[in-house]
DNA sequence: ACCTGAACACCGTTCAAGT
DNA sequence: ACCTGAACACCGTTCAAGT
């Protein structure tokens, strides 16, 4: 509805203004800049002033397009999950059964989580706009697609809702832990100092942790995701449709 | 190890200083104040200066005990999960099988999550100190207890590790979604304005969401937690111990 | 030993003013 | 119409100074 990406063709680079003020500002450009900023520097480093700097503009100019820092972050969340629209492996309607449909959707969400590990915690923990917009599927479009797909596959209302709940909490738990390992953070500003590992001293009174330390550090996220997703789908398949109150 | 709660019995209220500067400051008192502050006002409202105010002290005094805002938040996370030590339903070693053991632990974590809904997102998304400290079990003591318990119940190393991974991502997904419903937030400062629900307009192109809106808004967290936990335990029971590489 | 005043650098945000 | 300068209120944090 709101015009998207065409209004930069007027008197492009008239010729006498210094080459500083580049292409025109826009909400899209701002959100994109914010996302890559977080990808690179982490959320705590994102500042209205520094974001402006990155766009060759004073911070105050941003307010014409985004309303404030909070709204900016909401925009980032929305935009990041909407990247799934460009993912050809994610289909909008089941063609090979609901299991394949959900499988593709789950992997799509996982791909966006992994490509923006520092943004994903935001997707996970930003206050939801409504109870039916559960993270990480924070977009009416995607929830609609989810419910519509299952409905077309013969799920009744209760079963669709149950599947939605199970699907979202599955994704949230797995992906949040996976990006955490790949180095997310929503807290400190320092990219460095590598999270001072508890060393020998602290591990002495914890023999089991010490023994299993390296096993616990191995990253099997990919296979675990696959296997757990499989089991989730089985669980959904076996879900009774009525809640029998 | 570090003395805990005894050093406030000296010349209590000598008598001539104004009744302002109350009991002595201490790391414990600061962390407690921070937790109840977040419980009441939400994380974004927590400021070194306002926390000082709540303790009848200038913000700068806090730095003698906590090192900075980031360390303060780490302390909050640690302290909040350690509340489980006061939970008599959580046992430190299995007495009625590992299923009962994990069942009690899971419910213990759920209770602390529900009693501090605004703090839990912090437990979930604060950068972990080590790969073997997965949220929400962010404490060497609890991880040790977990592994030790399973080991005593005959789990071999791989199976214990697998169980740990499954257990943590289960808890993280379920509890984060549950506290989100009960009104968490890590973002905005406003306690009010109730998350402007998308109304009719936005729901028109989303017929399935509209139809299932009220079903999606029902809160069945308690039963869902119970049922999913049951299934998780079954899944763990069936876990092969070897990873067969 | 414990707390504070004053100061610094940096925030988000507003608004009248520039072009 | 779009951007900016200047200003306000509020941050986290340091440090010399008070008691």
């Amino acid at each position: 509805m709101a015009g998207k990406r065409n209004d930069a063709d007027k008197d492009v680079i008239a010729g006498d203004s210094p080459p500083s003020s580049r292409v025109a500002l826009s909400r899209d450009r701002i959100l994109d800049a914010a996302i890559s900023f977080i990808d690179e520097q982490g959320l705590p480093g994102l500042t209205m002033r520094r974001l402006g700097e990155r766009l060759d503009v004073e911070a105050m100019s941003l307010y014409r397009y985004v309303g404030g820092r909070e709204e900016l972050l909401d925009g980032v969340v929305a935009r990041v999950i909407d990247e799934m629209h460009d993912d050809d492996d994610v289909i909008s309607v089941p063609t090979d059964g609901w299991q394949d449909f959900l499988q593709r959707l789950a992997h799509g969400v996982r791909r966006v989580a992994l490509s923006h590990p520092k943004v994903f915690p935001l997707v996970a923990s930003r206050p939801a706009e409504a109870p039916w917009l559960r993270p990480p599927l924070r977009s009416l479009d995607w929830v609609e697609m989810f419910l519509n797909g299952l409905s077309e596959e013969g799920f009744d209302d209760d079963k669709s809702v149950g599947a939605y709940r199970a699907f979202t909490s599955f994704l949230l738990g797995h992906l949040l832990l996976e990006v955490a390992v790949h180095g997310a953070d929503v807290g400190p500003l320092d990219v460095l100092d590598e999270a001072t590992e508890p060393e020998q001293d602290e591990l002495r009174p914890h023999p089991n942790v010490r023994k299993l330390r390296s096993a616990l550090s191995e990253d099997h996220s990919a296979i675990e995701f696959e296997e757990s997703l499989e089991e989730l789908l089985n669980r959904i398949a076996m879900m009774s449709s009525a809640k029998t109150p």
Side-chain angles (χ1 to χ4, degrees), chain A:
Chain A
M1 288 294 167
K4 282 244 170 173
R5 57 201 50 159
N6 47 346
D7 53 273
D9 44 352
K10 296 184 167 183
D11 52 331
V12 233
I13 317 165
D16 73 324
S17 58
S20 52
S21 87
R22 320 299 268 154
V23 298
L25 217 45
S26 76
R27 189 177 162 92
D28 280 349
R29 238 163 62 75
I30 292 174
L31 291 180
D32 285 342
I35 291 173
S36 45
F37 194 108
I38 299 174
D39 282 342
E40 293 162 19
Q41 321 253 10
L43 177 57
L46 180 63
T47 266
M48 296 303 276
R49 292 173 132 106
R50 291 215 269 254
L51 184 56
E53 197 174 320
R54 191 187 185 96
L55 290 162
D56 271 321
V57 117
E58 302 298 313
M60 312 82 199
S61 312
L62 303 176
Y63 287 85
R64 202 157 297 267
Y65 302 90
V66 288
R69 188 173 195 262
E70 292 304 325
E71 195 197 294
L72 173 70
L73 295 183
D74 287 337
V76 164
V77 167
R79 203 168 173 71
V80 125
I81 54 164
D82 277 348
E83 279 184 16
M84 271 202 302
H85 281 124
D86 304 333
D87 188 331
D88 292 332
D89 286 347
V90 177
I91 58 185
S92 58
V93 93
T95 58
D96 290 296
W98 62 268
Q99 327 234 9
D100 171 74
F101 174 67
L102 293 190
Q103 195 97 242
R104 288 168 179 275
L105 182 55
H107 282 107
V109 177
R110 179 164 185 260
R111 275 188 290 272
V112 336
L114 293 185
S115 64
H116 302 289
K118 308 242 181 86
V119 176
F120 192 75
L122 220 50
V123 176
S125 59
R126 207 110 245 284
E129 298 177 19
W132 55 80
L133 276 180
R134 301 166 46 112
L137 238 48
R138 311 190 59 158
S139 143
L140 273 176
D141 285 348
W142 289 105
V143 177
E144 174 65 20
M145 221 179 72
F146 183 99
L147 296 172
N148 180 60
L150 293 195
S151 153
E152 290 204 1
E153 289 291 305
F155 279 52
D156 67 22
D157 290 359
D158 284 338
K159 194 169 176 182
S160 293
V161 170
Y164 174 62
R165 294 215 175 98
F167 189 78
T168 45
S169 62
F170 163 80
L171 283 182
L172 194 59
H174 274 269
L175 298 183
L176 206 47
L177 275 165
E178 191 166 357
V179 302
V181 163
H182 287 44
D185 78 78
V186 204
L189 323 128
D190 44 36
V191 188
L192 333 173
D193 94 49
E194 264 323 325
T196 78
E197 298 200 357
E199 278 315 320
Q200 305 312 69
D201 329 332
E202 280 187 86
L203 287 181
R204 206 181 27 229
H206 302 98
N208 284 278
V209 177
R210 197 169 72 204
K211 180 175 57 148
L212 297 180
R213 195 170 21 138
S214 73
L216 286 168
S217 307
E218 291 172 20
D219 181 14
H220 298 316
S221 334
I223 340 89
E224 278 171 15
F225 186 81
E226 232 58 59
E227 292 176 357
S228 310
L229 177 54
E230 197 74 40
E231 304 204 54
L232 171 74
L233 297 181
N234 292 339
R235 187 141 68 88
I236 291 178
M238 295 183 339
M239 263 164 81
S240 61
S241 30
K243 277 290 164 191
T244 62

